[in-house]
Amino acid sequence: MRTANKTKRLMPRKLVARTNPHSIAAEQYRTIRTNINFSTPDLHSRVILFTSAAKEEGKSTTAANMAIVFAETGKKVLLIDADMRRPTLYRTFQLGNNTGLSNLLLRKGSLKQSVKVSGIANLDLLMSGQIPPNPAELLEADALDELIAEMRETYDYILFDSPPILSVTDSKILANRCDGTVLVVNTGKSEKISVEKARDSLATAKALILGVVLNNYPMNKENYYYHNYNE
Amino acid sequence: MESTFNLNKFLKAMQKRKALIIFVTLAFVVFSAVASYTLIKPVYKATTQILINQNTAINQDFTSLDIDTNLQLIGTYNVIIKSPAILTTVIEKLQLDETVQSLTDRITVNNIESSQVVTLSVEDSSMKGAVLVANTTAQVFQEEIQRMMKVDNVSILAAAETTANPNPIRPDPIFNMVIGAIVGLAFGVGITLILEQLNTTVRSEEDIEEMAGLQILGVVSQVDSNLKMEKPLNLTTRLEKDHYADSEQDKKVNAAKIGGSY
């Protein structure tokens, strides 16, 4: 179990796009932002799912940082913790997890009430809420479609952070409802075979795969120019 | 899965495991050096030259036929030198603690380029021993041949000599170290290839594009843990206020508890 103290130390590293806006990583998130915008040109508001094949590949970190760089552009962004099994967003932003997605899917409370301010301009957060016994069934209900429709009215970018796609079915359901899915791959850790399986499960869910984010990518000469540019 | 051999990838892999390859190569070189200088017993070699000449006294006219005969004779003599008849006598004379068979293995007999000169080489763990065995064998052979063939046609051309600073013929440390280096290099490359094959994780953008046919949106480098915060997050105070303000609403929303917890 993580202590509160450790969480506090982890946080600045996790939200690097906020804490170190000139870092290489922040710049790389902005590159991804641009590429996502190019791959979904026609959409007025974009509902994007972040998932990965296995756990701990960096979904939540990627989603949180992407939310920050999207918010930088002045668009309204909502970051949702759709991992109702192992929620992390409330820890990353050091907030409570009393209300959130699970409550809204049970039609308890309104979106406006449940959304929390992140402290970052244009970025709102929706926690996972109380851990329900049946996350997959909750997501499969019509309530999700209605909720997404409601979100689209207020927000330009709606980012879902989800459980690993090969472990539970939640992400498949979500991927089907989202405009696009970003697959997070942990360089040097993710097995090729599981990435292929993840791709295939997304295909069966009729999800649009926007592309892959290679997380934990080893630094090499190729990305040194990011550094030099700002110095 | 990976059917095609990619030279570029191969070289990159080698580059990545440079240290391992160099280490394995050096380890093999050091091992062969240590083995050469300490573990392997040195072997010395002494050589005597024996001249074989048929019919010396009887016929003064040399014909090519004579030389042919001589050569055939040399073939016979080569066998005789290594025969138990000679070697048993050598062993007895020198009181060696070995069998005829093991002595045979240490002796090589050659005749030089269809000449009538036969070289008799003996290997031994000491130069002195090698010289002694070589000379004794030549002597015994000379004496025995007179008795066996009833002719005196063997003369010792050059007896084996002990040099001041004899070099062992085996092991040759430099040669062994070169072999060690080659084997070590091959070993290191082999290990690298195996490690590359065993690693089934995604490691590069090409991996994703080739195998999964997915496009790369971008890469995120490892975040340096020593990175100094440029901008303090400064969220906590505001957020805590929000959080407590929310808690009243939370209570309302959660009045009926959601399902069971697990």
Side-chain angles (χ1 to χ4, degrees):
Chain A
M1 271 300 182
R2 278 193 194 139
T3 61
N5 203 9
K6 199 175 175 192
T7 315
K8 251 175 200 156
R9 267 195 288 119
L10 275 173
M11 188 184 64
R13 273 188 61 197
K14 275 197 155 180
L15 297 177
V16 66
R18 169 68 176 182
T19 57
N20 297 78
H22 297 298
S23 64
I24 298 175
E27 212 48 66
Q28 287 166 330
Y29 284 121
R30 287 184 200 112
T31 307
I32 297 166
R33 174 184 72 195
T34 311
N35 288 340
I36 288 177
N37 285 343
F38 278 132
S39 55
T40 55
D42 305 328
L43 295 167
H44 171 66
S45 64
R46 300 174 169 91
V47 184
I48 301 163
L49 177 76
F50 288 84
T51 191
S52 65
K55 61 177 182 180
E56 276 150 25
E57 302 202 31
K59 293 176 294 292
S60 306
T61 311
T62 308
N65 282 294
M66 287 311 298
I68 292 169
V69 295
F70 276 128
E72 278 176 5
T73 62
K75 305 270 185 170
K76 290 280 287 172
V77 180
L78 177 65
L79 175 60
I80 303 157
D81 191 353
D83 189 343
M84 287 182 275
R85 298 162 197 261
R86 285 180 51 179
T88 51
L89 186 61
Y90 74 96
R91 265 204 235 123
T92 310
F93 283 86
Q94 297 183 322
L95 293 165
N97 192 24
N98 292 332
T99 48
L101 185 65
S102 60
N103 309 83
L104 291 176
L105 291 176
L106 285 167
R107 300 175 197 278
K108 286 184 178 158
S110 70
L111 179 63
K112 227 174 183 179
Q113 283 181 326
S114 307
V115 158
K116 299 196 175 177
V117 259
S118 64
I120 295 166
N122 299 319
L123 175 59
D124 284 351
L125 307 169
L126 182 62
M127 301 305 159
S128 69
Q130 282 197 323
I131 295 177
N134 51 349
E137 286 77 13
L138 272 187
L139 289 168
E140 239 158 345
D142 295 335
L144 180 62
D145 282 326
E146 289 163 29
L147 192 61
I148 291 176
E150 196 187 338
M151 288 167 180
R152 279 186 200 267
E153 287 167 20
T154 326
Y155 297 99
D156 299 303
Y157 290 95
I158 298 139
L159 309 184
F160 281 95
D161 174 22
S162 70
I165 193 152
L166 295 184
S167 322
V168 289
T169 190
D170 304 15
S171 306
K172 279 171 97 172
I173 301 165
L174 280 165
N176 182 263
R177 314 284 169 94
C178 290
D179 296 330
T181 301
V182 174
L183 196 59
V184 178
V185 169
N186 195 343
T187 317
K189 286 238 176 75
S190 307
E191 294 286 333
K192 287 178 189 167
I193 192 92
S194 36
V195 174
E196 283 181 331
K197 278 188 189 157
R199 175 201 60 193
D200 295 343
S201 351
L202 286 170
T204 47
K206 295 196 176 66
L208 172 71
I209 305 176
L210 298 177
V212 173
V213 169
L214 276 182
N215 202 24
N216 264 334
Y217 198 73
M219 291 273 245
N220 56 29
K221 285 178 210 133
E222 286 161 40
N223 23 41
Y224 276 154
Y225 71 93
Y226 283 121
H227 225 15
N228 300 336
Y229 206 72
N230 284 317
E231 272 170 7
Chain B
M1 269 196 305
E2 281 164 38
S3 51
T4 51
F5 176 78
N6 186 329
L7 183 67
N8 201 17
K9 254 188 196 167
F10 172 76
L11 290 178
K12 259 190 191 160
M14 295 298 138
Q15 177 99 22
K16 211 175 75 189
R17 298 196 195 269
K18 219 168 21 190
L20 175 86
I21 295 171
I22 292 173
F23 175 77
V24 172
T25 308
L26 284 182
F28 271 75
V29 170
V30 168
F31 176 76
S32 37
V34 168
S36 301
Y37 284 114
T38 63
L39 297 177
I40 301 173
K41 282 180 188 148
V43 174
Y44 296 88
K45 187 178 179 182
T47 304
T48 56
Q49 289 186 327
I50 303 165
L51 178 68
I52 293 166
N53 193 11
Q54 172 85 323
N55 308 331
T56 33
I58 305 160
N59 197 343
Q60 296 295 323
D61 298 324
F62 266 156
T63 63
S64 60
L65 195 71
D66 287 331
I67 296 172
D68 280 348
T69 320
N70 280 334
L71 290 180
Q72 280 170 13
L73 203 61
I74 288 162
T76 317
Y77 284 8
N78 286 354
V79 179
I80 295 175
I81 295 177
K82 293 180 85 171
S83 71
I86 307 288
L87 296 186
T88 318
T89 320
V90 173
I91 289 170
E92 273 170 17
K93 225 175 168 178
L94 295 177
Q95 291 180 324
L96 296 176
D97 185 21
E98 61 182 322
T99 61
V100 171
Q101 184 56 47
S102 68
L103 189 57
T104 312
D105 292 342
R106 287 161 51 196
I107 296 177
T108 43
V109 180
N110 280 314
N111 78 307
I112 300 163
E113 292 273 319
S114 66
S115 69
Q116 287 166 262
V117 176
V118 170
T119 59
L120 170 68
S121 305
V122 177
E123 291 174 1
D124 196 275
S125 57
S126 75
M127 192 67 207
K128 228 166 123 186
V131 168
L132 193 63
V133 173
N135 287 337
T136 312
T137 311
Q139 251 169 41
V140 169
F141 174 65
Q142 199 185 12
E143 285 158 15
E144 288 290 305
I145 216 76
Q146 281 178 40
R147 199 175 53 78
M148 281 195 264
M149 312 276 289
K150 312 282 184 244
V151 282
D152 178 15
N153 58 356
V154 172
S155 50
I156 295 169
L157 202 60
E161 279 175 356
T162 316
T163 49
N165 226 341
N167 281 322
I169 54 149
R170 272 201 313 269
D172 182 346
I174 302 295
F175 177 76
N176 285 353
M177 268 146 53
V178 169
I179 295 291
I182 293 168
V183 172
L185 193 68
F187 209 71
V189 170
I191 292 176
T192 306
L193 283 181
I194 289 170
L195 286 177
E196 284 299 299
Q197 289 297 315
L198 286 181
N199 194 339
T200 52
T201 57
V202 174
R203 276 164 301 159
S204 67
E205 301 176 45
E206 292 85 36
D207 280 349
I208 289 287
E209 276 160 355
E210 276 171 22
M211 143 210 97
L214 297 171
Q215 70 157 331
I216 303 282
L217 289 171
V219 300
V220 181
S221 300
Q222 283 131 341
V223 176
D224 184 4
S225 49
N226 300 321
L227 209 62
K228 260 180 100 184
M229 246 196 260
E230 293 171 40
K231 223 177 186 178
L233 212 62
N234 258 353
L235 303 174
T236 353
T237 42
R238 255 198 73 201
L239 289 176
E240 266 166 15
K241 208 178 74 209
D242 285 335
H243 173 52
Y244 289 121
D246 277 354
S247 61
E248 279 306 305
Q249 294 175 359
D250 291 353
K251 267 181 203 150
K252 233 186 288 165
V253 172
N254 284 325
K257 210 179 165 222
I258 301 173
S261 60
Y262 63 98

